[in-house]
Amino acid sequence: MPQTTSDTSNAVPVWGFFKSVTRSFTDRRISLWIALFGLVVALLVTLVWLAGRYEASQYQAELDRDAADAVSDLQRGFTHHALSLQNLQYKSLSNQLWHGEISGLLNQNREWLRVEKRDPQFAVVDQANSPFRMPIFDAHSHLNEQAEIIQTCVRAKRLNGPAYSRSYFVPQASGMGLEVMEMCLPILEQGILSGYTLLTYGLQEVLAIQLGDTYGRRNEISFTEPDGTRLAVQGSVPRTKRLFTATQLLDLPGTTLVLRMDGRRAGPDLFPNVLPALVTAMSIALVSVLVLLVKDSRRRLKAERDLADALAFRKAMEDSLVTGLRARDLKGRITYVNPAFCQMVGFKAEQLLGASAPMPYWPTEMVGEYQQRQAVRLAGNAPPREGFESVFVRQDGSRFPVLIFEAPLINVLGKQTGWMSAFLDISEQRRIEELSRASQERLQATARLATVGEMASLLSHELNQPLAAISSYATGSLNLLSHHTDLPPAQTFSDLHMALERIAQQASRAGKVINSVHDFVRRRDQDREVVRPQTIVDAVMPLVQLQAHKLHVRIDVKMDESLSPVLCDRTMVEQVLLNLARNGMQAMDHPDCHKRLLTLQVKKAASSLSHGWIEFAVIDLGVGISEDIEKQLFTPFFTTKPEGMGLGLSLCRTVVEQHGGHLEFEAVTPRGTLFRFTLPTASSL
Ligand code: ADP
């Protein structure tokens, strides 16, 4: 995934902005969740309420239908009764037979309480009571309603069919009473009114017989006054139940009754039927899912926050790095660079991201080599662990050396997606190395000059002898030439010849002495060369001898046979050997020191670790090295000698270590010190 980088200076505001954006997102998300939760609860309540209402309206409609059906059942029943009575009238039966027939009808229709036969003047001619109860009227009581009866019968006559009276209450002997209604049917004989049949209905019985079976089980059925007063009731409903009421008008010729039906239902239930129950169950499931979602979102929020923290941490880390970082995909395109890398090469991240070979920071003349190196890397070859050096060009054209470490970039699935490289700008390191090398060289040159100064005094001492000899030979020769002696000329000539030969010899000896110093000072060959240990020893011997002579020291050289040649900077190693020999001889320049022997020993290194190495040892029998001196022995400018510079040993160690060897010393019994150093043989490398 390509990533861009930003300036370190921008990091803080960007992070602050990121945090405030995250906070506002979080606030908004919480209010969204609350709104969603509220909506779901409102939806759930509305659904349950609507479902309840729907169920109630369904039931109300059913009750209304039942009430309408009940009214039509009643009307059918009344019509049927009227027809039965009309049939009877047509038969013009004798009183006895009428009684028989009427008794039969009274048996069949229990809601009939009484049937009267009246003449056209409304006087009772005959009567029959229901066999199922005591007669409801005594001889006079029916007369109380005479006016109503007359009115009904007049209407019946006018209608030429049945007419019904208003209902009225008939008190009974038992203290109770009952609501009744009259039905009057005119009797016509050949078109002439011959009387009336008056049928008294018990309203309670009408409800029980005609509607009780069909509607009475679940409902309370009643006839009521328009003001709601109940006239007759059938069935009862527990008051605890939810009550539904339907009213229907029962229109009868002459009167109108109000039929009221009270239905009982277990309610209002929370789950009145399957639909609301289903809706509720689904809503509960929805709420549960919501709760799970909230939990999940909270977990996600936490993960997001952790991720943001980790990102901020990583960014701070990357920004604080001085190491340049660069990621490439498997095709060699740059997918990521950190600010340190951009700073190093002077290009912006946008200029580098997506770039592929040749990179803008490659030196033009090295593009081929770098491309080849990249091809090797992309082919899957791991780079050296310790890194490798390269040269890059900044945008301003300046070049600088870099140390590159590369490692494969592995993704979560363990698949390699590219290469991650770390860059160290080593130009400063190189500069310091160069400085240190130059100062080291200067120091060495100074030390050599100091040695030369020392040599000069030795030279004057050593040259004294040949010069004195030359001078005396020259004086002798001059004497021979100026004073003619008794000697024959041949003798004189031979003496002169000998004197001149001696002069020449002594001059050549003096020349050799001077040359040995001259050689030492002039020769400065930096390169390492393969040189035999013997040659090194031979080269320093004349100079060592010079000092030995002065300090009355005997030199003993012990060289193993057939030593392999060593690979070294010859001049420097010679100086090391010379320094050590000189130190050894100076250590023996003490009145107490009677035996003055300096041993130069060269042999194969004994330790198995230094197999293939040659060991040089310089052993003196001098004053030795005290503990105090030992601590500072290799510190530059530490010296115990009045004319010393204190650079000898520190330089010796540097030179030996530059060759990969090491310099050490140990005390020699009964007195003296041994200094040894090692050098690699040419064949061991
Ligand atoms: P310099 O010879 O100019 O003093 P060096 O670094 O060669 O500088 O030696 C430092 C000091 O170490 C000497 O001054 C001397 O005291 C001590 N030293 C070196 N070699 C020996 C030795 N073989 N025996 C005793 N002391 C030594």
Side-chain angles (χ1 to χ4, degrees):
M1 181 185 68
Q3 292 179 27
T4 55
T5 58
S6 62
D7 284 346
T8 319
S9 53
N10 289 339
V12 174
V14 166
W15 175 233
F17 173 72
F18 179 70
K19 270 204 314 200
S20 69
V21 167
T22 315
R23 200 179 311 123
S24 79
F25 270 143
T26 314
D27 291 351
R28 234 170 65 189
R29 197 174 294 165
I30 288 174
S31 42
L32 274 177
W33 276 118
I34 291 173
L36 185 61
F37 191 76
L39 277 175
V40 168
V41 170
L43 181 74
L44 173 66
V45 171
T46 314
L47 274 174
V48 171
W49 181 71
L50 280 177
R53 282 235 357 218
Y54 173 72
E55 186 261 355
S57 72
Q58 285 288 91
Y59 184 66
Q60 185 63 52
E62 186 190 333
L63 198 67
D64 285 343
R65 265 197 315 276
D66 279 358
D69 288 350
V71 164
S72 69
D73 284 358
L74 283 174
Q75 273 172 335
R76 230 183 1 259
F78 285 135
T79 310
H80 181 72
H81 293 161
L83 285 175
S84 303
L85 284 177
Q86 271 174 345
N87 280 346
L88 204 65
Q89 285 170 357
Y90 290 136
K91 289 179 184 167
S92 306
L93 298 171
S94 67
N95 279 357
Q96 205 178 349
L97 282 174
W98 183 84
H99 263 283
E101 290 281 336
I102 282 296
S103 295
L105 286 173
L106 282 168
N107 269 327
Q108 283 169 20
N109 302 301
R110 295 181 69 145
E111 63 270 43
W112 293 11
L113 301 183
R114 177 187 171 92
V115 181
E116 288 178 1
K117 209 174 179 184
R118 297 211 175 189
D119 62 13
Q121 283 71 43
F122 309 110
V124 178
V125 179
D126 209 345
Q127 62 183 31
N129 284 306
S130 168
F132 300 108
R133 58 182 307 139
M134 293 291 290
I136 52 164
F137 298 115
D138 54 25
H140 308 290
S141 62
H142 209 187
L143 292 176
N144 296 341
E145 302 299 330
Q146 190 66 3
E148 180 66 32
I149 291 168
I150 291 170
Q151 202 180 345
T152 307
C153 287
V154 168
R155 188 174 294 123
K157 183 180 155 197
R158 201 171 57 237
L159 293 173
N160 197 18
Y164 297 82
S165 72
R166 282 191 296 111
S167 71
Y168 58 91
F169 186 73
V170 182
Q172 295 296 291
S174 58
M176 308 286 281
L178 70 164
E179 193 77 17
V180 298
M181 180 182 75
E182 307 283 355
M183 188 268 274
C184 188
L185 193 65
I187 306 168
L188 297 173
E189 283 176 7
Q190 281 130 31
I192 297 160
L193 180 76
S194 63
Y196 299 95
T197 306
L198 194 66
L199 171 60
T200 307
Y201 282 110
L203 288 186
Q204 174 76 45
E205 282 73 11
V206 168
L207 291 175
I209 309 287
Q210 293 201 17
L211 305 179
D213 285 351
T214 324
Y215 306 102
R217 256 183 249 125
R218 288 193 304 159
N219 308 310
E220 184 185 84
I221 314 160
S222 55
F223 285 121
T224 62
E225 295 274 12
D227 63 359
T229 314
R230 285 168 196 259
L231 302 173
V233 181
Q234 168 61 35
S236 68
V237 284
R239 292 293 136 194
T240 51
K241 301 277 181 181
R242 188 161 51 144
L243 201 66
F244 293 87
T245 301
T247 48
Q248 284 285 333
L249 292 179
L250 174 61
D251 265 329
L252 294 170
T255 189
T256 299
L257 286 171
V258 179
L259 181 75
R260 170 174 166 157
M261 206 177 261
D262 290 325
R264 53 177 190 262
R265 275 291 182 277
D269 287 342
L270 190 57
F271 308 119
N273 60 22
V274 180
L275 178 65
L278 204 69
V279 168
T280 309
M282 279 172 66
S283 305
I284 288 171
L286 193 64
V287 169
S288 314
V289 169
L290 267 183
V291 169
L292 286 178
L293 266 175
V294 167
K295 274 189 182 168
D296 179 68
S297 123
R298 207 174 288 161
R299 263 205 304 273
R300 219 181 48 215
L301 262 181
K302 191 179 169 313
E304 271 174 18
R305 217 169 290 142
D306 288 352
L307 194 69
D309 281 350
L311 267 178
F313 181 74
R314 201 192 85 169
K315 179 147 179 45
M317 219 165 67
E318 283 172 5
D319 290 350
S320 68
L321 275 183
V322 288
T323 312
L325 292 178
R326 178 202 66 187
R328 282 181 301 175
D329 62 15
L330 288 174
K331 288 189 178 136
R333 277 190 306 257
I334 297 181
T335 54
Y336 167 78
V337 282
N338 76 337
F341 185 80
C342 296
Q343 216 170 355
M344 216 179 263
V345 293
F347 287 97
K348 286 195 180 129
E350 301 82 65
Q351 293 173 292
L352 295 173
L353 289 172
S356 51
M359 300 297 179
Y361 46 81
W362 284 0
T364 32
E365 75 279 5
M366 285 166 129
V367 165
E369 187 192 323
Y370 285 12
Q371 236 158 0
Q372 209 174 347
R373 192 171 67 197
Q374 179 164 320
V376 170
R377 189 78 62 254
L378 296 180
N381 297 310
R385 194 86 206 103
E386 64 279 5
F388 55 93
E389 278 191 42
S390 197
V391 176
F392 281 177
V393 185
R394 294 196 184 90
Q395 200 180 21
D396 61 13
S398 56
R399 285 157 194 249
F400 63 104
V402 281
L403 190 60
I404 309 176
F405 301 90
E406 289 203 299
L409 203 60
I410 310 289
N411 71 2
V412 190
L413 304 171
K415 220 179 121 203
Q416 184 179 350
T417 55
W419 292 90
M420 174 58 93
S421 319
F423 300 85
L424 281 178
D425 182 347
I426 51 172
S427 38
E428 185 62 11
Q429 193 183 327
R430 283 277 172 279
R431 200 177 64 82
I432 291 168
E433 272 174 19
E434 184 54 38
L435 269 180
S436 130
R437 198 185 55 75
S439 67
Q440 187 78 22
E441 262 184 15
R442 269 202 302 279
L443 212 60
Q444 282 171 4
T446 315
R448 285 155 66 80
L449 282 176
T451 315
V452 170
E454 219 172 282
M455 292 298 158
S457 72
L458 290 176
L459 262 183
S460 61
H461 172 80
E462 194 65 16
L463 287 178
N464 259 346
Q465 257 186 320
L467 288 178
I470 288 171
S471 155
S472 53
Y473 281 125
T475 315
S477 303
L478 282 174
N479 282 340
L480 270 179
L481 287 174
S482 55
H483 307 289
H484 297 285
T485 59
D486 306 334
L487 293 173
Q491 180 67 39
T492 308
F493 183 76
S494 137
D495 284 351
L496 269 178
H497 189 264
M498 188 208 69
L500 286 175
E501 254 181 3
R502 291 284 154 83
I503 286 173
Q505 264 176 12
Q506 290 303 321
S508 115
R509 184 180 153 202
K512 268 187 190 156
V513 171
I514 290 168
N515 270 342
S516 66
V517 177
H518 187 247
D519 266 8
F520 178 76
V521 180
R522 285 285 302 280
R523 187 146 41 82
R524 184 68 203 104
D525 196 351
Q526 279 280 358
D527 290 340
R528 297 199 178 176
E529 54 189 299
V530 176
V531 51
R532 289 177 43 245
Q534 181 77 52
T535 317
I536 297 173
V537 175
D538 287 349
V540 293
M541 270 323 275
L543 298 170
V544 173
Q545 289 291 2
L546 271 179
Q547 192 149 23
H549 212 226
K550 185 188 169 192
L551 299 176
H552 312 291
V553 175
R554 195 159 59 79
I555 308 289
D556 186 9
V557 179
K558 291 182 180 168
M559 300 266 314
D560 277 7
E561 290 297 315
S562 65
L563 285 172
S564 314
V566 290
L567 180 72
C568 64
D569 180 343
R570 182 177 160 185
T571 319
M572 297 310 299
V573 172
E574 281 172 6
Q575 183 156 2
V576 169
L577 203 57
L578 185 63
N579 269 348
L580 295 179
R582 192 199 54 186
N583 277 350
M585 287 188 280
Q586 283 173 345
M588 290 187 285
D589 185 20
H590 201 268
D592 298 349
C593 197
H594 303 299
K595 193 174 179 197
R596 299 186 174 193
L597 173 68
L598 185 83
T599 313
L600 294 182
Q601 197 177 37
V602 188
K603 58 177 186 176
K604 281 185 193 159
S607 124
S608 62
L609 277 176
S610 21
H611 175 73
W613 291 70
I614 302 290
E615 182 183 294
F616 291 75
V618 180
I619 308 150
D620 67 72
L621 305 174
V623 288
I625 295 170
S626 69
E627 264 184 34
D628 283 354
I629 296 176
E630 188 180 325
K631 282 180 203 150
Q632 309 174 65
L633 205 59
F634 293 102
T635 315
F637 304 109
F638 169 76
T639 179
T640 56
K641 300 165 198 165
E643 77 290 1
M645 280 188 67
L647 285 170
L649 284 180
S650 80
L651 279 171
C652 286
R653 190 164 71 173
T654 313
V655 170
V656 171
E657 285 175 357
Q658 273 173 357
H659 285 80
H662 59 273
L663 173 69
E664 57 193 13
F665 67 93
E666 62 187 55
V668 174
T669 44
R671 57 181 288 159
T673 318
L674 177 149
F675 275 86
R676 77 161 74 87
F677 66 91
T678 49
L679 287 178
T681 58
S683 55
S684 71
L685 293 172

